[in-house]
Amino acid sequence: MSVEIEIAEDKEQVAHLAATEFVRIANESINVRKRFTVALSGGSTPRRLYELLADKTHPYLAQVDWRHAHFFWGDERCVSPDDAESNFRTAHDALLSRVPVPPQNIHRIEAERSDSDEAAQDYERYLRRFFDLTDKDFLQFDLVLLGLGTDGHTASLFPDSTALEEDTRLVVATWIAKLDARRITLTARAINHARRVVFLVVGADKSKAVRQVLTGVVRDEALMPAQLIRPEMGAPLWIIDRAAAQLL
Ligand code: 6PG
């Protein structure tokens, strides 16, 4: 699997490299298609990226025409949007409440609904309408941001999850036994149709998973789901700090 790798000194430089790539893709997308569509990653790693993008003491805020940016999520926890665990809340507090993006451009997954399967189907229907897709088409986000778990999961595609084999749906609800929790996630096939996929990975605890995904023989992908991410439109970019890259 070909990948692009940028090794950063530390978490702060990961965030700056990611912000630079975010701005580049946003401007390219808006120039060509008059809009920029991004599926945000969950977890804690992207928080610093979100803060930098919204911080007027850094150049990024002024470099994006936020009126034409549309925000989606690669996955969401099945909690209320104001729950500290919510990926929407993380992005809202660090970024979306601090940049001039129109509220109608924020396309949240309603994962708090009691029927998460129906919520996943509704988000898929919403995506198909927004991207004007037929049943056979797959959506093309301009950018999908992803993280990596120590077990090789990405988005909410966890080892041995039923979501890994899904190759027709764009969005599924999935039970994560190890977390004793349900999640809603884009499928690998939906992610692989993005124009650009960027992984942000920080920390020595991720170094084994980074080595397996980037250099391991692509074994049973059920064990290392991030190996399923092989975008059709070009190699994914991995922005990794030295600690996470130490076994490469
Ligand atoms: C989530 C994410 C998940 C995350 C990884 C890494 O909802 O948790 O989508 O895939 O990116 O678990 O999380 P950290 O950035 O917190 O290490």
Side-chain angles (χ1 to χ4, degrees), residues 41-46 75-77 87 146-149 153-156 158 183 200 202 206:
S41 168
S44 57
T45 301
D75 70 318
E76 186 55 278
R77 290 88 180 275
N87 291 334
L146 294 173
L148 180 71
H153 81 261
T154 193
S156 283
F158 281 77
R183 297 269 188 101
L200 305 184
V202 164
K206 304 286 176 74

Side-chain angles (χ1 to χ4, degrees), residues 45-225:
T45 301
R47 193 194 311 271
R48 187 60 186 140
L49 161 63
Y50 300 158
E51 291 169 349
L52 283 180
L53 289 171
D55 183 341
K56 58 181 179 297
T57 67
H58 290 285
Y60 313 112
L61 177 62
Q63 291 173 340
V64 176
D65 185 347
W66 299 96
R67 296 170 301 168
H68 300 295
H70 289 265
F71 291 88
F72 302 82
W73 277 261
D75 70 318
E76 186 55 278
R77 290 88 180 275
C78 290
V79 295
S80 158
D82 57 8
D83 188 300
E85 283 294 301
S86 161
N87 291 334
F88 164 80
R89 165 129 187 226
T90 300
H92 176 269
D93 291 356
L95 174 61
L96 302 177
S97 58
R98 302 168 61 204
V99 295
V101 58
Q104 64 270 25
N105 289 18
I106 298 172
H107 312 282
R108 187 176 73 78
I109 301 174
E110 295 176 347
E112 70 279 13
R113 287 166 47 183
S114 55
D115 186 334
S116 52
D117 290 315
E118 189 182 45
Q121 290 169 43
D122 285 350
Y123 198 63
E124 173 154 345
R125 276 190 281 272
Y126 182 87
L127 291 174
R128 288 191 178 282
R129 274 197 312 277
F130 182 90
F131 286 92
D132 193 23
L133 302 178
T134 67
D135 280 354
K136 288 185 293 302
D137 296 334
F138 269 76
L139 74 170
Q140 279 196 322
F141 288 110
D142 294 309
L143 172 62
V144 173
L145 290 172
L146 294 173
L148 180 71
T150 54
D151 60 359
H153 81 261
T154 193
S156 283
L157 300 168
F158 281 77
D160 300 321
S161 149
T162 53
L164 302 184
E165 298 92 42
E166 180 57 57
D167 66 0
T168 51
R169 295 275 301 278
L170 303 177
V171 187
V172 294
T174 178
W175 170 255
I176 314 297
K178 71 184 287 190
L179 301 178
D180 191 25
R182 284 182 78 74
R183 297 269 188 101
I184 291 177
T185 186
L186 290 183
T187 57
R189 188 140 183 231
I191 293 169
N192 283 332
H193 279 75
R195 289 188 175 86
R196 182 66 153 163
V197 173
V198 176
F199 281 87
L200 305 184
V201 190
V202 164
D205 62 330
K206 304 286 176 74
S207 58
K208 284 198 180 76
V210 164
R211 177 178 56 180
Q212 173 57 37
V213 174
L214 294 186
T215 63
V217 174
V218 179
R219 309 178 288 120
D220 172 0
E221 290 156 349
L223 300 177
M224 196 52 68

